[in-house]
């Protein structure tokens, strides 16, 4: 990694609040690496985040303009910032609870409005910071503090929602597929129009330990096995796989 | 009324203003933005359904006087130790690496949610910057107040009925005066307290939320004309009440 990346962080804010094995640290590094490889000045960016663990990715760690808003309100703030100063590169970073649950409606309407902002969702499939409650992205059967006998509801596919609402760039990868995620984040940061990138991120503490994952490494292994290249839009069942998570670049306009 | 005042966690001061006409709705909205830009605080414009449905003539200013916030860079943007209590607010994208958070923070914006000193300093600054400027913020209107034996305190649309009631009562020889609150928060404590030797009546469209504030200032509970059925308090209704009181 280029040493330059160290200039992008506020060193005094370390260590991060992330638990050991959390995937958000990987996402945090990937975004900085992407900015470094694109060679964009950090002062051109405004990072907006909401509540939840993933809200800590930019604020206070990134040495740029960062804004930590209340739960689900990151996208509306980002829209306001972009409207007030269209020259800024506005990036929303949040978790699935922030962007898919409390801010779910904002996601849909921001994609519909097609403002030139980038939304990066570090999806750990659980409301981790508030104590491991069920999230709209929690898979069927998963045990959380509010679904003790297993989740009975179908999870959201945030990429499909973004597609239905008209996002101009949609991609999904995982913390295990770091290089792929880096590629997508890099493209998403400079793509015109509303870009949505979902990065699946392991949460060993609030999700893994209640769902028979021994440790974070096992969760990453699970991501390796369960994420397969595919297309959410055509629903192509590559290699006959139907019960897996499709990753890839789904929309690139 | 109270929700505007206490709509957030932690102690703080807020500005809330209550127009009573279409013209004031326009003027006070400009005023609200100016106060907000100057003091770096949200300003709530309270209104009721009756004011919102009014159709009246209003004069719009071709060039309203506006105040712009202090956008100076280079100073801490989230706190200040000087007497003003208002730090500069540079815009995003001005290379200041602003660290914006909703949590308790220090002057640089760093989160200090377990630092008692930082929390106390923040709460004190947010309160003091409003309380120290109470006199310039608070707006009110007096009507025949000086020689009045009975004072009616009201605000918003209800104050229009009260204003009419004052005219009608004066015709009947009852010395009635009106104090119309334009700024509700911060509350005009001293002014209200100075009326404690007069008979005070509060007319409002709730069960006495401002009456409780009046009691806090004068020490005795005021008489309350209250209506919560959605219909406005009528001038005759006030007059009838006053005639009962003045006997």
């Amino acid at each position: 990694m280029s040493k330059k990346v160290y200039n992008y962080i506020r060193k005094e804010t370390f260590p991060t609040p992330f638990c050991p094995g959390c995937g958000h640290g990987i996402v945090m590094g990937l975004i900085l690496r992407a900015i470094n490889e694109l060679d964009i000045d950090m002062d051109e960016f405004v990072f907006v985040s909401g509540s939840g663990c993933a809200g800590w990715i930019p604020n206070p760690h990134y040495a740029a303009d960062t804004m930590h808003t209340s739960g689900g309100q990151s996208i509306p703030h980002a829209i306001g910032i972009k409207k007030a100063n269209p020259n800024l590169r506005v990036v929303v970073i949040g978790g699935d609870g922030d962007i898919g649950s409390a801010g779910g409606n904002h996601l849909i309407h921001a994609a519909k409005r097609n403002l030139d902002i980038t939304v990066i969702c570090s999806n750990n499939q659980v409301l981790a910071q508030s104590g491991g409650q069920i999230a709209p992205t929690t898979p069927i059967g998963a045990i959380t503090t509010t679904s003790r006998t297993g989740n009975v509801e179908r999870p959201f596919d945030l990429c499909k929602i973004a597609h239905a609402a008209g996002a101009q760039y949609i991609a999904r990868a995982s913390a295990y597929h770091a290089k792929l995620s880096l590629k997508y984040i890099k493209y998403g940061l400079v793509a015109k129009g509303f870009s949505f990138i979902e990065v699946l991120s392991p949460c060993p503490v609030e999700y893994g330990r209640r769902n028979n994952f021994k440790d974070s490494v096992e969760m990453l292994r699970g991501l390796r096995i369960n994420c397969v290249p595919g297309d959410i839009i055509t629903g192509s069942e590559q290699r006959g796989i139907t019960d897996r998570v499709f990753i890839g670049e789904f929309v690139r306009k | 009324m109270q929700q505007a005042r206490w709509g957030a966690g932690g102690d703080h001061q807020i500005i809330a203003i209550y127009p009573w006409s279409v013209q004031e709705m326009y003027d006070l909205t400009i005023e609200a933005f100016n106060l907000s830009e100057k003091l770096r605080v949200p300003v709530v414009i309270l209104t009721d359904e009756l004011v919102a449905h009014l159709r009246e003539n209003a004069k719009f200013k071709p060039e309203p006087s506006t105040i712009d916030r202090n956008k100076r860079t280079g100073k801490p943007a989230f706190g200040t130790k000087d007497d003003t209590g208002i730090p500069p607010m540079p815009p995003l994208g001005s290379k200041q690496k602003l660290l914006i958070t909703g949590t308790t923070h220090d002057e640089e914006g760093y989160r200090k949610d377990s630092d008692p000193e930082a929390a106390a300093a923040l709460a004190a600054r947010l309160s003091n910057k409003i309380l120290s400027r109470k006199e310039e913020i608070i707006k009110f209107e007096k009507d025949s107040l000086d020689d009045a034996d009975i004072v009616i305190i009201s605000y918003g649309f209800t104050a229009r009925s009260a204003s009419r009631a004052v005219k009608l009562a004066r015709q009947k020889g009852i010395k009635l005066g009106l104090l119309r609150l334009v700024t509700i928060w911060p509350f005009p404590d001293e002014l209200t307290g100075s009326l404690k030797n007069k008979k005070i009546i509060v007319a409002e469209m709730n069960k006495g939320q401002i009456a409780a504030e009046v009691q806090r200032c004068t020490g005795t509970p005021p008489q309350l004309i209250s209506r919560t059925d959605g219909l406005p308090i009528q001038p005759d209704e006030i007059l009838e009440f006053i005639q009962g009181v003045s006997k």
Side-chain angles (χ1 to χ4, degrees):
Chain A
M1 186 172 71
S2 165
K3 284 256 164 28
K4 238 177 98 185
V5 170
Y6 289 106
N7 297 333
Y8 298 167
I9 52 178
R10 297 175 192 267
K11 293 187 198 73
E12 68 275 20
T13 61
F14 278 66
T16 68
F18 304 129
C19 310
C22 175
H24 290 343
I26 297 172
V27 179
M28 183 176 169
L30 287 174
I31 296 167
L32 293 180
R33 281 180 176 85
I35 292 166
N36 186 41
E37 287 183 17
L38 290 166
D39 201 20
I40 304 173
D41 187 356
M42 276 297 258
D43 283 333
E44 291 181 29
F45 284 99
V46 177
F47 297 95
V48 191
S49 63
S51 65
C53 295
W56 296 110
I57 292 174
N59 181 308
H61 305 110
Y62 286 4
D65 284 346
T66 59
M67 185 185 253
H68 204 150
T69 68
S70 47
Q73 305 310 311
S74 47
I75 291 176
H77 281 81
I79 289 172
I81 293 164
K82 187 71 185 177
K83 286 258 182 194
N85 186 353
N87 296 324
L88 292 171
R89 296 172 187 272
V90 184
V91 183
V92 174
I93 303 168
D96 49 314
D98 184 31
I99 285 168
S101 178
N105 207 0
H106 300 313
L107 171 70
I108 298 166
H109 284 266
K112 167 189 156 290
R113 191 174 263 182
N114 197 19
L115 222 59
D116 189 10
I117 61 173
T118 307
V119 176
I120 299 168
C121 178
S122 190
N123 179 357
N124 55 14
Q125 305 186 317
V126 70
L127 303 182
Q129 184 177 257
S130 51
Q133 293 88 348
I134 196 166
T137 44
T138 303
I140 292 179
I143 293 167
T144 68
T145 49
T146 48
S147 62
R148 305 300 305 189
T149 53
N151 177 25
V152 293
E153 297 168 12
R154 289 161 300 164
F156 269 164
D157 185 328
L158 293 173
C159 286
K160 277 187 185 170
I161 292 175
H163 169 63
Q168 300 293 295
Y169 180 77
I170 303 168
R172 177 162 56 210
S174 82
Y176 174 80
H177 304 86
K179 287 216 161 152
L180 198 61
S181 300
L182 178 64
K183 189 179 137 197
Y184 296 160
I185 292 170
K186 258 174 85 175
Y187 192 81
L189 286 175
V190 291
K192 283 278 164 226
F194 187 86
S195 315
F196 182 76
I197 302 128
E198 183 182 349
V199 184
L200 298 169
S201 161
C203 176
V205 174
E206 293 296 348
Y207 186 86
R209 74 187 157 112
R210 296 195 178 92
N211 290 282
N212 297 324
F213 287 99
K214 210 166 71 216
D215 54 25
S216 181
V217 177
E218 205 185 309
M219 293 191 82
L220 284 169
R221 252 187 229 123
L223 286 172
R224 188 183 73 182
I225 296 162
N226 283 315
C227 295
V228 295
D231 190 347
I232 51 157
I233 295 150
T234 57
S236 67
E237 297 167 12
Q238 294 194 4
R239 289 176 282 174
I241 297 164
T242 52
D243 60 340
R244 303 286 166 86
V245 180
F246 287 161
I247 58 169
E249 222 167 34
F250 306 130
V251 175
R252 185 171 174 166
K253 283 181 183 166
Chain B
M1 303 308 290
Q2 295 290 340
Q3 193 183 1
R5 175 69 189 86
W6 303 110
D11 206 355
H12 63 288
Q13 291 289 328
I14 195 105
I15 302 175
I17 46 187
Y18 206 139
W20 77 334
S21 66
V22 174
Q23 181 69 55
E24 241 187 37
M25 204 74 197
Y26 172 77
D27 292 339
L28 291 181
T29 303
I30 296 169
E31 169 81 13
F33 272 96
N34 283 344
L35 281 172
S36 182
E37 290 279 325
K38 195 174 147 195
L39 303 175
R40 196 175 171 172
V41 66
V43 177
V44 183
I45 300 173
L46 291 162
T47 181
D48 47 52
E49 170 264 341
L50 292 155
V51 173
H53 281 121
L54 283 176
R55 280 171 177 75
E56 290 180 324
N57 287 337
K59 276 187 186 157
F60 292 163
K61 294 168 189 160
E63 277 177 25
S65 68
T66 53
I67 297 172
D68 264 340
R69 69 189 67 172
N70 177 0
K71 291 179 185 165
R72 198 165 33 136
T73 55
K75 292 253 171 145
F78 303 99
T80 175
K81 284 195 176 65
D82 68 23
D83 296 338
T84 63
I86 305 159
M89 197 173 178
L92 290 164
S94 54
K95 300 185 194 297
Q96 295 301 298
K97 302 195 189 305
L98 299 170
L99 195 52
I100 305 168
T101 177
T103 320
T104 302
H105 53 78
D106 67 7
E107 289 172 19
E108 303 289 340
Y110 284 105
R111 193 170 186 255
K112 296 277 176 190
D113 60 338
S114 22
D115 183 342
E117 270 178 40
L122 181 69
R125 184 177 64 78
L126 293 179
S127 284
N128 289 343
K129 71 174 175 183
I130 306 297
L131 292 177
S132 64
R133 292 175 176 81
K134 263 174 90 168
E135 276 182 19
E136 58 175 288
I137 295 168
I138 293 174
K139 279 191 153 75
F140 53 85
E141 209 174 74
K142 293 175 176 178
D143 181 4
S144 324
L145 207 58
D146 294 336
D147 66 334
D149 301 325
I150 309 170
V151 178
I152 179 159
I153 298 179
S154 195
Y155 50 87
F157 191 88
T158 314
R160 293 170 78 114
S161 294
S163 173
R164 176 77 186 146
V166 169
K167 275 198 192 76
L168 296 173
R170 289 272 166 177
Q171 282 168 15
K172 289 180 190 291
I174 303 168
K175 287 191 171 174
L176 180 64
L178 168 68
L179 171 61
R180 176 168 78 91
L181 307 177
V182 179
T183 307
I184 307 292
W185 309 113
F187 197 77
D189 290 359
E190 291 78 18
L191 176 70
T192 312
S194 71
L195 301 171
K196 65 179 170 193
N197 296 326
K198 301 179 194 283
K199 202 170 267 183
I200 297 178
I201 295 160
V202 176
E204 56 182 334
M205 298 289 288
N206 56 57
K207 290 288 182 194
Q209 296 189 20
I210 291 302
E213 291 297 315
V214 173
Q215 181 180 353
R216 181 174 60 77
C217 301
T218 59
T220 45
Q223 304 216 41
L224 178 67
I225 305 175
S226 153
R227 204 161 172 168
T228 52
D229 59 357
L231 296 173
I233 297 172
Q234 301 289 343
D236 292 344
E237 204 178 327
I238 297 173
L239 194 65
E240 208 174 300
F241 190 91
I242 304 291
Q243 281 168 331
V245 170
S246 63
K247 268 173 199 164

